[in-house]
Structures are given as structure tokens and as C-alpha cells.
């Protein structure tokens, strides 16, 4: 990507908005033929009880090449990690090896029916049992459920297990403690589970304020939910002291492990004293993230919580065959059937393809990439927490805003002109004008340099020609959208003009 992206490049319009397919072509050009039906017709009007349409549908009259160009153009307008860097913090938008896609499309996996008798699904059960064991080993928390369909769903599942375990002891507790830097899903899961969220502030160093935590810990606290490394990309140095304090009041320590890339094969939440954790297979384990799923948020717990796991739980029987069991105090089913099986196949293929050593390299490379970018950018942008980071780091655009009137949103929009997806912006909330950058382990050095150069060029431009940054982007099919109006008055249907 050139450092000097043209203000309004020629040719930008060639990628401009496409007219809806219904407005292409002319009625007289005719449609691509639909095959003659070779089965007896029925009067659908009768079948639908008079609800059939009164007029024939207004189908587009387009030729095959018009359809091809229409969809090829839509595909080109799309942006993904296959197109260019996508350093969206806390989202792990990394490249997923295609072998995982191949594996989950194998006929034996893709063609299975959820109601198939278990004797005919032995391979699938074996895969789930092996994946449970692998995630148990990676996390240091040996009992695993693969059912939850997302990270937030995993959080809820673990909280339900905590509650069941407390209640089984006749100990109804009401509160769950969360640091202010936590992902928004944490407090949402807490209230969904019927608990009250108690927020504690982060310290000066961006880490949990352990004294503030100790001040709110009492026997009414059911759990602490912690993200480690936290959403600033920092590792909690006093983690053992934290989990010990939590256990001292009889509460559970929960780790939000959505961002496992940072510690794979290096550190294990189970060894840090956590009792439960969820893992986002659709971040770290080869299922593409974004586009609305499907995903999976397996939950790994300590041995002592095994009895509360959701059922049915795939297990290896004593005779070597595979079956399912329902744990004695199971919280029940949290997802239909076994969860999103295709996502599990991808994760299994990834773990097997990369191997134990490879997983460690993933973490080392993810951390190295983030620190490399952080060092390149920390002069031009502020770095509120200047420490070795893990898989991501958070910059602040507060100075650009103060000195030149260029906001983080403007920087993000200008990045689009340089061909990059912007980082996460305005999160975490504790950093003013935040830019949260996660390059991931799969970005080559050239791509990291190109991204840094774009960010540096934008900071320079903010100082010399702020108006250009303020009005970016110039090269996208749609410029700045009215986000408030899009949320308040969404236009979700195409209307004939
Ligand atoms: C992504 C993420 C989640 C939520 O995962 P979903 O699958 O989107 O529900 C929770 N916590 C953290 C830290 C995350 O990055």
C-alpha cells in the first residue's frame, strides 16, 4: 500500500456502489430459463389458504453474465483477512489454514445427521472426546463441554455451573465481580444468569487493582470474572494472589479465555488458579471470526465441577467405544444436539496440524507481532500503558484530537483508504480515543510494516492536513454512514423505485 494514497484516486468510482440486481437489465431482455417442471402442479393458493400472491413476482430480467458480474462485484466489495490485514483488537482476525476447512467438509462429517444412532457416529464422538482432552490440556482445566455456541454463551454456561455448585452446597450467592476493562459480554452474562455485577476499577498500571478487589470480596460473591491477558493486552502479574483471594471467600475464579492466542502452550489458566474458562474456537482455533457464525465457546473447568457440566457429554466407555453421559448434577443442555460440530472439526484439525510445539509458536509469534507494531507506533500515538504487551495493545488518539481535531474515528476511516481494516476503536472504555490493535501471528513482517507505515502517514497527515483525515474515506463504495440513523431507521428491504 502506498504511503501517499491519493486524496480521490481515479478509478475509485469503478468500485462504486452497484445497482441492486432487480434494477439491472430490461424486461424485454428476458430471464435465464427456469427448467420446465416435470411433476404435476398443485394449486398452491388452496394449500396456503388464500395467502398466495395476487401478482407474479417481480424477478430481475438479467442474463447469466449480468448475474455473474453482479455477484463477482459484490465479492470484490467485501473485505476479509484474505484481502488484507484486519487488526481488529480482541477479535483475532487471523488467517485460518484451509486444511481445517477441508476437514470439516469431509463427507463423513458434513453429511452426518444429528439424530443418527450413536453406534454409527463413533468417529464424530471420538473426535469430540479427543478435542475435549486437547482443550483440557491446553487450558489446564480437564473437564470440558463443547456445547456452547459462542464465547458469551460459554460465559453463561460457566456461571450457571458455578451457581449450581453453590446451590448444591446450600449457599446462594448474589454477586459476580468484574474489572472495568472487561468485555461487554461479561456483565451481560452475569445479569442473564440472575447475578448482580460488581465492577472494580483498574489500577494505574492497567491491571486489576488487587486491593479494590479484596475490598469487595465477601461470602455473597459467587465468582470473579477476569480476562487474562486483559483487554489492554496486559498479563495480570498478581494472578495467583487474585485467584487465592477469590477462593478464600469460597467464590470461583472465571477466566474469559476468548483470546487464547497470547498464551497457548506457554501458560495455562488452570495453573493460575482459575476454576473455569471459555475458549473461542472462532478466534483461536481455525474457524473464521465474523459474519455472524457459527462459532463455539467450549468451557473447561476443574475436576471438582465435572458433575455440573451440560449433558449429554461425549465420553469414551470402558469397552473402548464412544457414548454419552449426563453428569449427576448437570445444568442440562445449553445447545441443541452436541453444539456446532463443524467448528469442532476445524479446531481438531488445527490442533492436530499445528501440534503442541506449533501452538506455542502461535502464541510467541502473536506476542512478537503485537510488540513489534507497538514499538513502531508508540511515538506517533500515545501508549497509555507502556509495557511489554501480549497479543494486542491499546493506543490512544487523545493527543491527535486535542492538537489537530482528528479523532480516532477519523484515523480508522482514513485507514480504509490505505486498504486496511481499522483496529477496534473506543474500546476498552478506560482509554480515551482508544485504538486496540491485534495483528495476530499470521501477518507477515511486510504486512506489519505496511500497516505501521499507514498509521504513521495518517498521524503525519493529521498534523499537516487534518481536514483530509476528517473527511475520509475517499475510496470506499460508501463514505461515512449515518450510524445513528442506520440503527434507528434501518432500511432492510429493497424497494422498487
Ligand atoms: C470475543 C470476546 C468475547 C465474546 O465472544 P463471542 O463469541 O462473540 O460471544 C468475550 N470476551 C472477550 C475478551 C472477547 O474478546
Amino acid at each position: 500500500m502506498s504511503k501517499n494514497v491519493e486524496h480521490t484516486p481515479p478509478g475509485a468510482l469503478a468500485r462504486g456502489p452497484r445497482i441492486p440486481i432487480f434494477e439491472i437489465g430490461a424486461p424485454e431482455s428476458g430471464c435465464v430459463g427456469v427448467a420446465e417442471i416435470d411433476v404435476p402442479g398443485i394449486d398452491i393458493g388452496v394449500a396456503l389458504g388464500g395467502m398466495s400472491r395476487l401478482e407474479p413476482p417481480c424477478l430481475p430480467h438479467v442474463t447469466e453474465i449480468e448475474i455473474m458480474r453482479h455477484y463477482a462485484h459484490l465479492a470484490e466489495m467485501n473485505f476479509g483477512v484474505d484481502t488484507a490485514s484486519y487488526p481488529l483488537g480482541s477479535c483475532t482476525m487471523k488467517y485460518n489454514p484451509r486444511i481445517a476447512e477441508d476437514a470439516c467438509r469431509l463427507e463423513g462429517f458434513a453429511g452426518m445427521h444429528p439424530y443418527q444412532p450413536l453406534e454409527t457416529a463413533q468417529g464424530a464422538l471420538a473426535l469430540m472426546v479427543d478435542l475435549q482432552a486437547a482443550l483440557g490440556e491446553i487450558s489446564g482445566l480437564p473437564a470440558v463441554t463443547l456445547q456452547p455456541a459462542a464465547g458469551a454463551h460459554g460465559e453463561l454456561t460457566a456461571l450457571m455451573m458455578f451457581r449450581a455448585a453453590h446451590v448444591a452446597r446450600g449457599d446462594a450467592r448474589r454477586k459476580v465481580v468484574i474489572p472495568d476493562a472487561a468485555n461487554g459480554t461479561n456483565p451481560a452474562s452475569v445479569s442473564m444468569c440472575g447475578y448482580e455485577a460488581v465492577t472494580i476499577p483498574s489500577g494505574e498500571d492497567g491491571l486489576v487493582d488487587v486491593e479494590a478487589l479484596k475490598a469487595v470480596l465477601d461470602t455473597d460473591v459467587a465468582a470473579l470474572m477476569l480476562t487474562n491477558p486483559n483487554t489492554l493486552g496486559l498479563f495480570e502479574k498478581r494472578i495467583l494472589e487474585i485467584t487465592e483471594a477469590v477462593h478464600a471467600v469460597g467464590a470461583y475464579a472465571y477466566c474469559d479465555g476468548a483470546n487464547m492466542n497470547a498464551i497457548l502452550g506457554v501458560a495455562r489458566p488452570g495453573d493460575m488458579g482459575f476454576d473455569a474458562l471459555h475458549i473461542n474456537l472462532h478466534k483461536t482455533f481455525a474457524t473464521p471470526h465474523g459474519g455472524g457464525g457459527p462459532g463455539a465457546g467450549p468451557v473447561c473447568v476443574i475436576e471438582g465441577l465435572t458433575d455440573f457440566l451440560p449433558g449429554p457429554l461425549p465420553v469414551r466407555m470402558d469397552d473402548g467405544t464412544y457414548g454419552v453421559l449426563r453428569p449427576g448434577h448437570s445444568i442440562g443442555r445449553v445447545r441443541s444436539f452436541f453444539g456446532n460440530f463443524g467448528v469442532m472439526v476445524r479446531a481438531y484439525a488445527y490442533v492436530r496440524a499445528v501440534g503442541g510445539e506449533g501452538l506455542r509458536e502461535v502464541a510467541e509469534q502473536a506476542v512478537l507481532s503485537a510488540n513489534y507494531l507497538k514499538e513502531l507506533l508508540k511515538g506517533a500515538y500515545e501508549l497509555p500503558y507502556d509495557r511489554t504487551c501480549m497479543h494486542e495493545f491499546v493506543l490512544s488518539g487523545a493527543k491527535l484530537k486535542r492538537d489537530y481535531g482528528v479523532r480516532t474515528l477519523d484515523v480508522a476511516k482514513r485507514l480504509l483508504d490505505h486498504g486496511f481494516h481499522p483496529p477496534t476503536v473506543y474500546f476498552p472504555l478506560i482509554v480515551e480515543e482508544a485504538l486496540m490493535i491485534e495483528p495476530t501471528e499470521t501477518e507477515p513482517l511486510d504486512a506489519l510494516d505496511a500497516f505501521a507505515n499507514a498509521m504513521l502517514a495518517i498521524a503525519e497527515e493529521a498534523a499537516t492536513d487534518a481536514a483530509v483525515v476528517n473527511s475520509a474515506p475517499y475510496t470506499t463504495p460508501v463514505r461515512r454512514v449515518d450510524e445513528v440513523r442506520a440503527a434507528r431507521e434501518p432500511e432492510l428491504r429493497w424497494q422498487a423505485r
Side-chain angles (χ1 to χ4, degrees):
M1 242 5 91
S2 137
K3 268 177 89 168
N4 307 308
V5 170
E6 281 290 328
H7 189 164
T8 309
L13 289 180
R15 283 169 58 92
R18 194 71 167 190
I19 20 183
I21 192 164
F22 292 99
E23 290 171 15
I24 305 174
E28 61 274 16
S29 63
C31 302
V32 177
V34 177
E36 286 288 317
I37 48 168
D38 58 359
V39 290
I42 59 156
D43 185 346
I44 200 165
V46 175
L48 292 177
M51 286 167 62
S52 58
R53 60 163 82 239
L54 301 173
E55 285 161 28
C58 163
L59 293 176
H61 291 261
V62 285
T63 60
E64 185 169 324
I65 188 149
E66 283 173 308
I67 294 175
M68 288 308 299
R69 286 184 182 158
H70 177 73
Y71 284 108
H73 180 77
L74 291 182
E76 266 173 28
M77 285 167 74
N78 214 351
F79 186 97
V81 78
D82 291 353
T83 321
S85 297
Y86 205 137
L88 198 61
S90 204
C91 288
T92 314
M93 305 300 285
K94 65 188 193 180
Y95 174 77
N96 294 298
R98 288 302 187 263
I99 191 164
E101 292 297 320
D102 268 4
C104 81
R105 283 167 173 71
L106 287 173
E107 175 59 24
F109 290 134
M112 292 188 75
H113 194 283
Y115 282 128
Q116 212 167 303
L118 293 186
E119 309 85 79
T120 67
Q122 290 290 300
L125 287 168
L127 183 143
M128 287 189 272
V129 168
D130 281 0
L131 181 59
Q132 286 168 187
L135 297 180
E137 194 173 324
I138 289 166
S139 63
L141 293 160
V144 180
T145 172
L146 302 173
Q147 273 188 31
H153 194 191
E155 294 168 18
L156 178 65
T157 302
L159 289 169
M160 287 166 67
M161 291 175 66
F162 289 166
R163 194 173 53 191
H166 282 306
V167 169
R169 280 191 292 270
D171 186 3
R173 298 180 174 222
R174 291 177 306 165
K175 297 184 293 192
V176 173
V177 180
I178 310 177
D180 59 0
N183 193 288
T185 52
N186 292 186
S189 301
V190 165
S191 18
M192 193 146 199
C193 198
Y195 283 122
E196 180 195 327
V198 177
T199 309
I200 48 166
S202 304
E204 292 274 288
D205 53 1
L207 302 177
V208 168
D209 180 337
V210 183
E211 280 56 50
L213 168 66
K214 286 180 176 164
V216 298
L217 283 178
D218 59 31
T219 52
D220 205 19
V221 172
L224 165 75
M225 287 183 99
L226 199 64
T227 311
N228 194 24
N230 69 18
T231 50
L232 293 166
L234 304 176
F235 193 86
E236 293 289 348
K237 285 194 256 184
R238 295 168 71 182
I239 192 62
L240 293 177
E241 194 186 338
I242 292 170
T243 51
E244 219 167 86
V246 169
H247 291 154
V249 294
Y252 289 106
Y254 180 79
C255 182
D256 178 334
N259 303 298
M260 279 293 279
N261 268 51
I263 56 171
L264 279 177
V266 179
R268 307 195 310 167
D271 301 334
M272 299 173 203
F274 285 109
D275 302 292
L277 135 127
H278 80 263
I279 295 176
N280 276 37
L281 297 189
H282 50 288
K283 282 179 184 168
T284 303
F285 291 93
T287 282
H289 185 203
V299 171
C300 311
V301 299
I302 49 168
E303 202 104 26
L305 286 170
T306 311
D307 214 28
F308 300 94
L309 284 172
L313 184 67
V315 287
R316 189 167 190 275
M317 314 295 239
D318 288 340
D319 65 1
T321 63
Y322 292 88
V324 296
L325 63 76
R326 188 186 160 91
H329 292 90
S330 175
I331 56 165
R333 199 188 260 293
V334 297
R335 180 66 168 69
S336 51
F337 307 111
F338 291 91
N340 285 329
F341 182 64
V343 178
M344 300 172 202
V345 178
R346 289 187 184 92
Y348 179 80
Y350 183 69
V351 169
R352 293 303 296 265
V354 176
E357 276 303 303
L359 289 176
R360 188 187 172 96
E361 274 173 47
V362 165
E364 289 169 349
Q365 197 63 46
V367 170
L368 182 60
S369 301
N371 279 286
Y372 179 72
L373 268 189
K374 170 173 71 64
E375 290 305 309
L376 290 179
L377 297 178
K378 78 178 189 189
Y381 297 82
E382 286 161 285
L383 178 66
Y385 302 97
D386 191 357
R387 235 187 82 185
T388 304
C389 66
M390 300 298 289
H391 61 302
E392 65 191 3
F393 59 99
V394 180
L395 297 173
S396 167
K399 196 168 173 303
L400 291 189
K401 181 177 162 194
R402 224 172 24 246
D403 295 352
Y404 313 116
V406 168
R407 303 188 59 211
T408 279
L409 184 71
D410 302 324
V411 174
K413 296 292 184 195
R414 189 60 171 141
L415 268 173
L416 298 173
D417 289 331
H418 287 263
F420 294 102
H421 193 288
T424 298
V425 294
Y426 298 104
F427 184 82
L429 306 175
I430 56 176
V431 172
E432 195 191 344
E433 297 291 315
L435 286 143
M436 183 195 218
I437 300 172
E438 180 182 9
T440 82
E441 73 282 3
T442 58
E443 286 306 302
L445 186 57
D446 282 351
L448 297 176
D449 284 334
F451 177 75
N453 286 339
M455 287 286 288
L456 296 175
I458 294 169
E460 179 73 36
E461 197 173 42
T464 54
D465 203 351
V468 171
V469 188
N470 292 139
S471 304
Y474 302 94
T475 55
T476 51
V478 179
R479 304 253 326 254
R480 293 222 182 181
V481 292
D482 182 339
E483 287 169 21
V484 175
R485 207 179 129 220
R488 299 266 158 81
E489 302 165 38
E491 262 175 46
L492 303 176
R493 278 187 63 194
W494 173 79
Q495 303 276 347
R497 291 205 203 117

